[in-house]
C-alpha cells in the first residue's frame, strides 16, 4: 500500500543529449526571449489555490518559471477564479505509436500471450489509414489537455515497421514541443534476438539520435536469450550514450534472474542513473527482506522503475522502494490499441486508479497517489519537480474542487493547463 510514501529526496537521472537538445529548443520557444536584452514572457495567474489551500494567492511566472518577485508591469493577467492549482502530471510509460485514438472502433481478436498480441499489432498497423504521426499526435495532444506535461513514449522497432513508429512519434513531438516534453524509447516489442534485424534497427535509431533510450523485453520469457539480448541493448546504450528502458513482465525466479543481469551490467558499464525497468512484475511477490535487498541495489545504481498500476497484485510497492531511494513513475501503458480497447492517457485517472487498486482511503494516501503521478515520473525522466515553488517550471493545471484528495477521487475537468507559463489547453481542449 502507498500509505506514507515519501516522494522527495531522490536524485533525478540526467536527460540524454538528444532529449536535452529537444527540450532546450522547446524551452527557448516558450520562454519568449529572456536573454540578450529581449523582453521576457511574464504572466500572473491570480486568485488560485495551490494544492487546495484555503486562501487564494497569485502565481507569477517569468520565462517559464514560478517566481516570488514582483511581476513586470506588462505581464499578462489570468484570473483563476479560485480554482485549485496543481502540478502538471508526467506519463512515464506510454505507447502512442500503437494507438487508434480518434479513429473508428477496432474489433479485437482473442490472444493468449505476447506473441499473439505482436501479430495483432502488425495487422492493426497495416490496416490503419492514418499514419503514426497523426495518431500519436492526437493522443499526445489529448494528454496535454488532461494536464500531462511530459511523457516517455515507447515506439515499436521491428522489421515489420522499420523505424516508422520512432519517426511518427518524433514528428508528433515536434508539433507539441511548446506543450509537452517527450522522451522516445526504441522498443523491440517483437524481441531483440527472436526478430532478426531488430538489433540493427535499434543501433540505427540510437546512432542517428532519433531516440533517447533503447528498450528491451523479457530476455528469458519472450526472447529466450538472456545474455544475448542484454549484451546487445546495453552495448548499444553504452556506445551511443543513451539510456535504457526495459519491459520486464516475467515473474518469480525468471524475472529476478533478468533483474540481476540488468543490475550487474548497469554496474559494470557505469550506467548509473540511465536505466529504467518497466512493470517489473517479479517485485510485488517478494518478501520484505528480499525486496529490501533488491531495492538497495536499484537505489545504489539509480535504476528507476515504472508501473501502470494494473492490479493490486502487480502494482509496484512504491513506498518500500522509495525508502531505498528508488525512483518510481506512473504511466498509461497502451491506449486503445491491439492489446486493449481501454486507456485514455489521462494521468489524473491513472492516479485515481493507483489509489483504487492499492485500496487507499486517507487524505495523505490519496495525495501521495497524485504526487507519484506528478513527481515520480519527473524523477524517472530527469525533470525538475513542478511543485509551484519559486524557481520551479511553470507547469500546472487549474481545476474546480475542494482539496487535492477530492480531486484525485472526482477527477474534475482540467479547466486550464499551463506549460512553461503558457496556456496550452482550456476546458479540456488544446489551445493550439
Amino acid at each position: 500500500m502507498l500509505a506514507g510514501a515519501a516522494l522527495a529526496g531522490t536524485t533525478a537521472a540526467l536527460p540524454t543529449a538528444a532529449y536535452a537538445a529537444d527540450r532546450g529548443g522547446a524551452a527557448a520557444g516558450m520562454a519568449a526571449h529572456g536573454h540578450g536584452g529581449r523582453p521576457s514572457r511574464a504572466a500572473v495567474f491570480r486568485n488560485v489555490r495551490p494544492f487546495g489551500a484555503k486562501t487564494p494567492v497569485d502565481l507569477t511566472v517569468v520565462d517559464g518559471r514560478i517566481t516570488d518577485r514582483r511581476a513586470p508591469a506588462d505581464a499578462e493577467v489570468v484570473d483563476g477564479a479560485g480554482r485549485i492549482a496543481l502540478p502538471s502530471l508526467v506519463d512515464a510509460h506510454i505507447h502512442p505509436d500503437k494507438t487508434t485514438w480518434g479513429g473508428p472502433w477496432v474489433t479485437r481478436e482473442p490472444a493468449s500471450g505476447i506473441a499473439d498480441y505482436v501479430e495483432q499489432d502488425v495487422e492493426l498497423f497495416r490496416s490503419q489509414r492514418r499514419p503514426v504521426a497523426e495518431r500519436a499526435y492526437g493522443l499526445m495532444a489529448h494528454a496535454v489537455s488532461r494536464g500531462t506535461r511530459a511523457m516517455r513514449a515507447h515506439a515499436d522497432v521491428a522489421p515489420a515497421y522499420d523505424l516508422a513508429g520512432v519517426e511518427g512519434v518524433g514528428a508528433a513531438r515536434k508539433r507539441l514541443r511548446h506543450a509537452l516534453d517527450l522522451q522516445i524509447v526504441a522498443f523491440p516489442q517483437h524481441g531483440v534476438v527472436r526478430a532478426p534485424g531488430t538489433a540493427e534497427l535499434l543501433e540505427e535509431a540510437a546512432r542517428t539520435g532519433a531516440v533517447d533510450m533503447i528498450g528491451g523485453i523479457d530476455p528469458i520469457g519472450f526472447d529466450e536469450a538472456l545474455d544475448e539480448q542484454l549484451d546487445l541493448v546495453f552495448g548499444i546504450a553504452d556506445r551511443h550514450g543513451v539510456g535504457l528502458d526495459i519491459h520486464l513482465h516475467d515473474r518469480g525466479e525468471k524475472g529476478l534472474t533478468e533483474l540481476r543481469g540488468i543490475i550487474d551490467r548497469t554496474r559494470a558499464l557505469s550506467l548509473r542513473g540511465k536505466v529504467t525497468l518497466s512493470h517489473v512484475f517479479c517485485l510485488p511477490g517478494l518478501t520484505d527482506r528480499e525486496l529490501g535487498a533488491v531495492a538497495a541495489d536499484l537505489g545504489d545504481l539509480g535504476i528507476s522503475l515504472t508501473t501502470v498500476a494494473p492490479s493490486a497484485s502487480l502494482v509496484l510497492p512504491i513506498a518500500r522502494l522509495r525508502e531505498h531511494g528508488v525512483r518510481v513513475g506512473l504511466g498509461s501503458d497502451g491506449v486503445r490499441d491491439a492489446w486493449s480497447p481501454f486507456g485514455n492517457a489521462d494521468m489524473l485517472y491513472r492516479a485515481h486508479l493507483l489509489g483504487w487498486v492499492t485500496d487507499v482511503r486517507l487524505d495523505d494516501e490519496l495525495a501521495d497517489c497524485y504526487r507519484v503521478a506528478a513527481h515520480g515520473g519527473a524523477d524517472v525522466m530527469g525533470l525538475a519537480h513542478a511543485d509551484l515553488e519559486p524557481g520551479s517550471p511553470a507547469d500546472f493545471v487549474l481545476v474546480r474542487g475542494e482539496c487535492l484528495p477530492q480531486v484525485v477521487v472526482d477527477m474534475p475537468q482540467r479547466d486550464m493547463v499551463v506549460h512553461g507559463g503558457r496556456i496550452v489547453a482550456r476546458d479540456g481542449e488544446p489551445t493550439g
Side-chain angles (χ1 to χ4, degrees):
M1 185 175 288
L2 277 173
L7 297 174
T10 56
T11 302
L14 293 176
T16 63
Y19 171 67
D22 188 77
R23 177 168 167 77
M30 292 185 296
H33 326 313
H35 302 285
R38 293 173 293 180
S40 62
R41 178 189 291 272
V44 179
F45 294 83
R46 286 192 172 154
N47 192 23
V48 300
R49 297 185 292 125
F51 300 99
K54 297 298 184 183
T55 304
V57 299
D58 294 347
L59 287 180
T60 300
V61 178
V62 175
D63 289 346
R65 299 271 173 178
I66 304 291
T67 181
D68 55 1
R69 296 184 179 182
R70 185 185 300 273
D74 60 349
E76 178 185 6
V77 177
V78 180
D79 184 10
R83 291 176 176 84
I84 297 176
L86 295 172
S88 296
L89 301 161
V90 177
D91 194 327
H93 186 103
I94 189 171
H95 295 264
D97 65 310
K98 296 175 181 284
T99 193
T100 63
W101 186 267
W105 179 257
V106 172
T107 298
R108 292 154 184 87
E109 300 295 330
S112 59
I114 292 178
D116 287 347
Y117 287 122
V118 163
E119 289 183 11
Q120 293 179 17
D121 275 337
V122 176
E123 293 171 4
L124 185 61
F125 174 80
R126 291 172 176 167
S127 72
Q128 291 296 296
R129 296 184 177 180
R130 297 179 299 150
V132 173
E134 181 181 338
R135 291 184 282 115
Y137 171 80
L139 181 63
M140 290 156 57
H142 170 77
V144 167
S145 75
R146 298 308 186 264
T148 294
R149 63 182 279 233
M151 61 173 56
R152 180 174 288 175
H154 294 255
D156 281 12
V157 169
Y161 316 114
D162 200 69
L163 294 178
V166 166
E167 292 165 353
V169 174
R173 169 165 68 178
K174 289 181 180 178
R175 289 181 65 184
L176 283 167
R177 65 190 306 169
H178 67 285
L180 183 71
D181 295 327
L182 190 85
Q183 293 174 349
I184 302 176
V185 183
F187 174 47
Q189 176 73 83
H190 297 191
V192 178
V193 176
R194 68 183 286 161
T198 299
E200 289 79 6
L201 289 171
L202 294 174
E203 185 88 42
E204 180 183 352
R207 177 181 55 80
T208 59
V211 299
D212 308 286
M213 312 194 84
I214 296 297
I217 181 170
D218 299 329
I220 298 176
F222 184 63
D223 225 7
E224 299 180 346
L226 173 66
D227 291 330
E228 189 174 358
Q229 183 193 129
L230 293 184
D231 287 347
L232 279 168
V233 298
F234 270 85
I236 293 170
D238 189 44
R239 281 192 297 277
H240 298 288
V242 298
L244 283 160
D245 194 324
I246 301 173
H247 284 56
L248 290 184
H249 307 97
D250 288 334
R251 307 181 198 182
E253 189 57 37
K254 190 181 295 183
L256 288 174
T257 299
E258 295 166 339
L259 188 53
R260 293 187 192 104
I262 290 166
I263 288 171
D264 290 344
R265 285 167 175 81
T266 302
R267 182 180 289 115
L269 293 174
S270 297
L271 288 174
R272 284 174 168 80
K274 298 187 71 172
V275 177
T276 301
L277 304 178
S278 297
H279 306 307
V280 210
F281 292 156
C282 64
L283 290 183
L286 297 181
T287 67
D288 189 66
R289 181 176 179 181
E290 292 169 332
L291 179 63
V294 173
D297 282 338
L298 297 174
D300 177 60
L301 294 170
I303 296 175
S304 54
L305 310 179
T306 64
T307 183
V308 299
S311 66
S313 63
L314 292 178
V315 66
L316 291 175
I318 297 174
R320 188 77 174 93
L321 289 163
R322 294 197 69 100
E323 289 175 7
H324 292 273
V326 181
R327 301 184 298 270
V328 184
L330 187 64
S332 293
D333 209 5
V335 179
R336 297 192 190 178
D337 54 21
W339 294 56
S340 173
F342 294 102
N344 56 16
D346 184 338
M347 286 302 297
L348 179 54
Y349 167 76
R350 191 60 53 168
H352 172 102
L353 186 62
L354 178 62
W356 181 281
V357 301
T358 53
D359 194 29
V360 304
R361 55 186 295 272
L362 303 181
D363 282 3
D364 286 347
E365 296 171 336
L366 290 164
D368 281 340
C369 291
Y370 193 93
R371 294 187 189 103
V372 172
H375 301 324
D379 290 337
V380 170
M381 289 184 62
L383 301 174
H385 288 191
D387 56 13
L388 307 182
E389 293 293 325
S392 69
D395 298 346
F396 55 88
V397 296
L398 298 184
V399 300
R400 295 185 183 275
E402 296 179 56
C403 58
L404 176 53
Q406 176 259 328
V407 168
V408 171
V409 170
D410 288 345
M411 298 176 288
Q413 174 180 279
R414 282 20 63 90
D415 291 341
M416 189 178 299
V417 181
V418 177
H419 188 75
R422 172 178 176 175
I423 299 171
V424 295
R426 285 182 184 270
D427 301 326
E429 296 293 333
T431 56

